[in-house]
Amino acid sequence: MMKPIRVLLAEDHLLVRQGIRALLERIEDVIVVAEVGDGLDAVRVAREERADIVIMDIKMPGLNGLEALMRLRREYPSVRGINP
């Protein structure tokens, strides 16, 4: 059995976040561990939840998605980021 892939959704638009989550929940071995609406929360929650993949919007309040991913990658090189 494969280890579940832990995904964090970082998107400031609730409807987009809900849509992405609905799609991910259909995939076996994928777990959405958290959802956040800004870049600062994305960095904090990714650390706490030990996400394997962060699906991150580029334009978000607090800290843009690119900077948030760069911070995460410095601390956790194994984290992968996807910009929808």
Side-chain angles (χ1 to χ4, degrees):
M1 185 170 153
M2 189 170 120
K3 176 185 162 195
I5 298 169
R6 300 172 58 80
V7 177
L8 167 66
L9 295 178
E11 166 63 59
D12 58 330
H13 294 96
L14 180 60
L15 285 175
V16 174
R17 215 169 48 229
Q18 289 172 337
I20 294 170
R21 183 181 195 120
L23 291 171
L24 290 173
E25 287 178 339
R26 294 179 176 196
I27 302 171
E28 190 175 331
D29 296 323
V30 171
I31 298 171
V32 177
V33 295
E35 296 179 29
V36 297
D38 71 60
L40 291 172
D41 281 343
V43 172
R44 180 182 55 78
V45 173
R47 287 177 184 141
E48 293 170 0
E49 295 294 337
R50 298 297 216 177
D52 299 310
I53 296 175
V54 179
I55 299 177
M56 178 118 42
D57 186 12
I58 293 174
K59 293 182 181 180
M60 288 191 298
L63 182 66
N64 76 54
L66 294 176
E67 180 61 32
L69 281 174
M70 285 191 289
R71 286 185 189 187
L72 284 171
R73 293 297 307 269
R74 281 193 296 267
E75 291 181 47
Y76 306 102
S78 64
V79 168
R80 296 295 174 238
I82 299 171
N83 296 102

